[in-house]
């Protein structure tokens, strides 16, 4: 459920008609609905309420905008961060340091040091090598770093290959059959407080079964580690719950997810941690775009919009589907291809799709663009960096400026040897 609805024939974000924002800010522009964000955050958090002790670390990578993080911080969310940059954002948004989890396969020594200094709650270690390095850094600072070991459970998440992370051939975590031994060694290393295991098998999961299989596997590993005399007090179950991108698709609901987790983990006796991203932010945003022109095609017309793969990369990267809708639909439809202005064929949002009839100058949206949208934008073809707006009832504000090509050009230098 979201708060992007037609009101008097015009698509609105909560109470604000999208043409009002487009007229002031220009297009393309991401528009987020605060009410939708808050609702999703609460539905997920409340669903997990059936668990004994659950902590949520929002996957900042899905939408790192400071205003978005502020809303989630106010809802009691911590953060799952994968870079120094994300960590600074989470701290700037007021998230409690001990609610921050630092994930990622390539944390640098500087990032680890800064994380320890800031007092973040948990490092999710991706290898024994990384654990030893973290231990050394913490010990040199006279500190102890809390950590969990990321395990690769070798389970097929059944999602797109490029966002699947829990198969043996993926770079993430330590191999399942070596995990207990590695945990044992790290648990006795000074400077580290090994407190648990973590896993994340992939993103945009449409079924709960792969997650359940993976949780059962790491549950067994937890028992094995405990039997060897080590303590396990925290189990971080990652993110991955998918959302519908096409009208009518059915995805697991947070309550079903929580019920499955309760069933699997009922006797674990740990603090459970979660790292949801898309399920919180996906439906909270749309990308508003203007039709530049409609070009005649060999079979279908080409709807050329002013958003492109640099603004919303998912279709080009993962063949992802985003529903497209006119901001002022007439009720008429046609079959068309939707493309951006970038000079490569991957800049295609849809082929041969039945869509609202649109023409030059019309506004339209790509839906479900709140997760992995603006955060993956770039300036390819020397296009501006896309701005972001947040709506709250009748109010709205720009929460990230459009960064124009002149500003980017001003950061470039011609070296003396070329002058
Ligand atoms: N935790 C870890 C360790 C992760 O790697 C991820 C996502 C998450 C949590 C959050 O997953 P979520 O709940 O959002 O599925 N750019 C891709 C998605 C990449 C996801 C990477 N990791 C896309 O646009 O579909």
């Amino acid at each position: 459920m979201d708060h992007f609805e037609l009101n008097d024939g015009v698509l609105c974000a909560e109470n604000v008609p999208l043409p009002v924002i487009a007229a002031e800010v220009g297009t393309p522009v991401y528009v987020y609905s605060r009410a939708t964000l808050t609702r999703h955050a609460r539905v997920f958090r409340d669903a997990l309420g059936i668990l004994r002790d659950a902590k949520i670390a929002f996957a900042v990578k899905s939408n790192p905008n400071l205003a978005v993080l502020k809303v989630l911080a106010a809802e009691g969310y911590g953060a799952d961060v994968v870079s120094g940059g994300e960590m600074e954002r989470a701290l700037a948004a007021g998230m409690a340091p001990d609610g921050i989890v630092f994930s990622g396969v390539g944390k640098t020594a500087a990032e680890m040091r800064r994380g320890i200094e800031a007092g973040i709650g948990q490092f999710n270690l991706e290898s024994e090598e990384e654990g030893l390095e973290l231990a050394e850094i913490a010990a040199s600072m006279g500190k102890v770093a809390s950590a969990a070991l990321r395990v690769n459970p070798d389970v097929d998440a059944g999602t797109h290959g490029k966002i699947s992370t829990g198969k043996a051939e993926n770079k993430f975590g330590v191999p399942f059959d070596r995990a207990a031994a590695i945990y044992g060694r790290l648990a006795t290393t000074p400077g580290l407080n090994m407190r648990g295991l973590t896993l994340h098998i992939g993103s945009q999961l449409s079924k709960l079964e792969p997650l359940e299989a993976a949780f059962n596997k790491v549950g067994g590993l937890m028992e094995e580690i405990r039997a060897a005399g080590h303590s396990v007090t925290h189990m971080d179950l990652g993110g991955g719950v998918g959302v519908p991108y096409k009208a009518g698709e059915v995805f697991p609901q947070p309550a079903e997810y929580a019920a499955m987790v309760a069933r699997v983990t009922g006797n674990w006796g740990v603090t459970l941690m979660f790292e949801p991203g898309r399920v919180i932010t996906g439906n909270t945003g749309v990308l508003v775009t203007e039709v530049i022109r409609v070009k005649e095609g060999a079979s279908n017309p080409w709807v050329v919009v002013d958003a492109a793969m640099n603004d919303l990369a998912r279709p080009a990267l993962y063949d992802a589907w985003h529903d497209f809708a006119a901001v002022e639909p007439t009720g008429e439809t046609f079959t068309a291809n939707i493309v951006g202005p970038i000079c490569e064929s991957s800049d295609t949002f849809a082929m041969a799709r039945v869509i609202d009839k649109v023409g030059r100058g019309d506004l339209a949206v790509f839906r479900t663009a709140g997760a992995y949208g603006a955060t993956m934008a770039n300036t390819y073809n020397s296009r501006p960096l896309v701005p972001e707006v947040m709506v709250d009832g009748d109010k709205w504000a720009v929460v990230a400026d459009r960064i124009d090509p002149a500003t980017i050009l001003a950061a470039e230098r011609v070296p003396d040897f070329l002058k």
Side-chain angles (χ1 to χ4, degrees):
M1 198 212 126
D2 64 39
H3 294 268
F4 297 97
E5 278 164 7
L6 287 173
N7 194 348
D8 277 341
V10 182
L11 192 62
C12 297
E14 304 187 25
N15 302 331
V16 180
L18 291 176
V20 169
I21 296 172
E24 260 187 70
V25 184
T27 53
V29 55
Y30 279 91
V31 177
Y32 307 133
S33 151
R34 179 188 178 173
T36 310
L37 178 60
T38 305
R39 185 190 134 79
H40 285 203
R42 289 183 185 166
V43 167
F44 195 81
R45 188 191 61 203
D46 294 350
L48 296 185
I50 63 165
L51 304 169
R52 193 182 66 102
D53 182 14
K55 297 212 168 4
I56 312 179
F58 168 65
V60 170
K61 65 174 81 65
S62 78
N63 191 324
N65 183 278
L66 193 57
V68 168
L69 297 184
K70 274 260 174 211
V71 170
L72 294 175
E75 294 299 324
Y77 275 57
D80 162 48
V81 303
V82 292
S83 69
E86 286 191 351
M87 176 170 53
E88 298 306 335
R89 278 172 179 275
L91 293 169
M95 280 161 166
D98 71 354
I100 298 179
V101 174
F102 204 140
S103 303
V105 77
K107 298 173 208 75
T108 64
E111 286 173 326
M112 294 188 206
R113 199 169 298 116
R114 172 71 185 122
I116 295 169
E117 245 166 43
I120 68 149
Q122 179 172 300
F123 289 87
N124 283 354
L125 304 173
E126 296 261 359
S127 64
E128 182 167 12
E129 294 84 343
E130 184 195 340
L132 295 174
E133 210 182 308
L134 178 67
E136 208 177 292
I137 294 169
S140 76
M141 297 167 71
K143 301 256 164 95
V144 173
S146 289
L149 182 63
R150 179 160 178 185
V151 181
N152 186 321
D154 195 20
V155 166
D156 187 351
T159 185
H160 191 283
K162 288 194 178 158
I163 52 175
S164 178
T165 51
K167 286 287 287 168
E169 66 260 30
N170 298 135
K171 68 178 173 180
F172 299 98
V174 299
F176 192 79
D177 55 0
R178 283 186 237 156
I182 293 174
Y183 193 100
R185 288 194 290 272
L186 292 177
T188 52
T189 303
L192 277 190
N193 163 31
M194 284 307 290
R195 65 181 202 180
L197 297 171
T198 173
L199 76 161
H200 172 78
I201 62 171
S203 194
Q204 183 53 7
L205 271 61
S206 56
K207 301 221 157 43
L208 295 177
E209 287 77 9
L211 287 168
E212 182 162 1
F215 297 167
N216 274 316
K217 259 185 117 166
V218 295
L221 183 62
M222 176 191 76
E223 296 303 346
E224 191 184 331
I225 290 169
R226 282 180 171 162
H230 305 295
S231 145
V232 178
T233 57
H234 291 69
M235 293 290 280
D236 178 344
L237 303 182
V241 177
V243 300
Y245 279 91
K246 279 184 200 175
E249 277 179 342
V250 178
F251 269 71
Q253 294 300 302
E256 298 168 271
Y257 173 73
M260 178 275 282
V261 172
R263 190 166 68 240
V264 175
T265 66
N267 59 358
W268 285 11
V270 294
T271 297
L272 291 170
M273 299 164 70
F274 299 88
E275 303 170 354
R278 190 186 320 258
V279 73
I280 308 298
T281 49
N283 277 314
T284 64
V286 296
L287 174 60
V288 184
T289 186
E290 184 177 311
V291 177
I292 298 176
R293 68 180 60 86
V294 179
K295 168 184 147 156
E296 198 182 316
S299 43
N300 298 311
W302 299 96
V303 173
V304 186
V305 296
D306 68 357
M309 64 186 282
N310 71 301
D311 306 303
L312 177 61
R314 304 192 65 259
L317 272 177
Y318 321 115
D319 298 315
W321 177 292
H322 285 264
D323 274 348
F324 178 87
V327 166
E328 295 181 65
T330 59
E332 258 186 285
T333 59
F334 68 158
T335 302
N337 308 324
I338 311 167
V339 295
I342 281 183
C343 294
E344 60 174 279
S345 297
S346 51
D347 189 23
T348 299
F349 292 109
M351 291 297 285
R353 200 190 284 184
V354 179
I355 55 170
D356 289 336
K357 183 97 191 262
V358 285
R360 181 176 161 201
D362 288 345
L363 292 173
V365 294
F366 291 102
R367 288 186 180 272
T368 320
Y372 306 108
T375 182
M376 290 173 69
N378 58 65
T379 61
Y380 185 39
N381 276 204
S382 289
R383 290 166 54 81
L385 194 60
V386 63
E388 296 160 84
V389 160
M390 183 178 280
V391 173
D392 181 9
D394 303 327
K395 299 190 290 276
W396 65 275
V398 173
V399 293
D401 290 344
R402 188 184 309 281
I403 300 184
D404 62 33
T407 305
I408 295 164
L409 187 60
E412 294 178 22
R413 306 277 170 264
V414 177
D416 283 347
F417 55 77
L418 291 183
K419 281 182 186 157

